[in-house]
Amino acid sequence: MIEKIVGVSLDPAVFKSLVNKIQGDQEKLQKFFRDSKFDELAAVVGEEVVFVSPRGTLIKTQKEIRDYFADLKRMGVEEVQFEPANAHVTELNGVEHNYVAYIIWHFSYSPPGKSDPVGSWAGATLHRFNCTWESPED
């Protein structure tokens, strides 16, 4: 699960919401890759992230993310793993939402014919809790 949560202490409802968000995103990302739904995968990763390929290439847009994972599939990669590594939580106590969590993901895959995985850090996806325009499970 999450190796580290940085920032504020979370009450149980906020922590549960964060865990549900992370587990849901993790399942979606892996399923979208298996099903070759690269537009959907890129939408979960998001517009605002900085994603770095294992070779150090910076990938910034949803189109670049989509194309990157489509290329992995074309190269014969069958499975990718998305693991949450860290969440940084900020308490806002604002009118619109109480907390914002930036979730840092590590992804890895094994190239065809090799058993050693290669990986990269994929920058933060966003989760808001008690937000007026979305439910805690969003």
Side-chain angles (χ1 to χ4, degrees):
M1 194 53 202
I2 305 173
E3 295 172 15
K4 186 175 177 184
I5 295 180
V6 178
V8 301
S9 295
L10 298 177
D11 66 52
V14 176
F15 182 74
K16 183 175 186 234
S17 173
L18 180 59
V19 168
N20 289 343
K21 169 67 173 170
I22 289 170
Q23 287 174 337
D25 282 355
Q26 184 179 31
E27 291 167 10
K28 284 180 201 172
L29 289 166
Q30 290 174 187
K31 181 171 178 7
F32 289 153
F33 183 81
R34 278 192 306 273
D35 296 344
S36 297
K37 294 184 175 182
F38 304 113
D39 286 323
E40 290 88 339
L41 188 151
V44 172
V45 172
E47 287 276 354
E48 303 300 322
V49 304
V50 174
F51 181 89
V52 182
S53 78
R55 293 185 179 144
T57 306
L58 199 60
I59 305 169
K60 300 182 200 176
T61 68
Q62 283 192 1
K63 180 187 179 315
E64 290 172 333
I65 292 166
R66 179 195 69 212
D67 293 348
Y68 176 78
F69 283 101
D71 286 345
L72 286 181
K73 192 75 159 196
R74 278 191 289 278
M75 289 179 355
V77 172
E78 294 178 17
E79 188 78 29
V80 294
Q81 296 296 318
F82 293 90
E83 298 293 333
N86 185 301
H88 182 87
V89 181
T90 302
E91 187 172 9
L92 300 175
N93 290 327
V95 176
E96 295 176 328
H97 47 272
N98 295 358
Y99 297 90
V100 175
Y102 297 94
I103 304 152
I104 308 298
W105 295 87
H106 179 260
F107 102 93
S108 61
Y109 66 92
S110 295
K114 301 198 179 186
S115 59
D116 292 335
V118 295
S120 171
W121 289 97
T125 57
L126 177 67
H127 172 58
R128 293 178 286 267
F129 183 78
N130 282 352
C131 184
T132 57
W133 66 90
E134 49 186 42
S135 71
E137 288 75 38
D138 286 344

